[in-house]
Amino acid sequence: QIEPWGCGLDDVLQPVRLWHHRADREVPFAAAQRTASSLPRAEVVEQVDEPEHGPSLTTVDAAFAWLADRSVR
């Protein structure tokens, strides 16, 4: 996270969806929103179940469905 990535967030041209819970104690929801605002094609989806740092099974299912959706490209 602290090393140079070799590119800027504005160089990421693929659609990005970030699932995040407002009660995440490790990464504030506002940080996910700021990250998304730096990516040209990103959105934050609020994870509404299981306020953990990691994804819930519902979120994992939603992420795979989104990745499989050809219209996202």
Side-chain angles (χ1 to χ4, degrees):
Q1 293 176 344
I2 60 172
E3 297 294 323
W5 293 358
C7 68
L9 293 179
D10 57 341
D11 294 324
V12 179
L13 302 179
Q14 294 298 318
V16 174
R17 185 172 279 183
L18 304 169
W19 281 267
H20 205 76
H21 200 287
R22 289 191 183 274
D24 187 324
R25 292 184 216 174
E26 294 183 47
V27 179
F29 193 79
Q33 291 174 310
R34 280 193 304 274
T35 299
S37 72
S38 298
L39 293 158
R41 297 178 64 195
E43 64 179 311
V44 176
V45 176
E46 185 176 354
Q47 179 176 309
V48 295
D49 57 342
E50 302 179 39
E52 302 290 331
H53 179 68
S56 67
L57 290 178
T58 303
T59 299
V60 170
D61 289 343
F64 281 124
W66 183 77
L67 289 168
D69 183 355
R70 293 191 167 274
S71 68
V72 172
R73 295 174 181 94

